[in-house]
Amino acid sequence: MGMGTVREFWGFLMKRKKWWLLPIIITLALLGLLIIFTEGSAIAPFIYTLF
């Protein structure tokens, strides 16, 4: 996801007033990062029990 995509998405939010999409996208991005960074670590079994 490049900076052009982020800029285009931000422009979409500003123009269409779809502010309710922002928390959904942030939550999905944080969950994705959590899964990626804990995949090979020792705490991975504890993270996966949350889901």
Side-chain angles (χ1 to χ4, degrees), residues 8-36:
E8 186 176 337
F9 181 68
W10 182 254
F12 170 79
L13 288 177
M14 294 292 286
K15 187 174 182 178
R16 307 268 188 205
K17 307 285 192 240
K18 302 281 185 184
W19 298 113
W20 56 271
L21 286 174
L22 200 56
I24 297 170
I25 299 298
I26 291 172
T27 304
L28 288 175
L30 289 175
L31 283 175
L33 288 173
L34 179 70
I35 290 172
I36 288 171

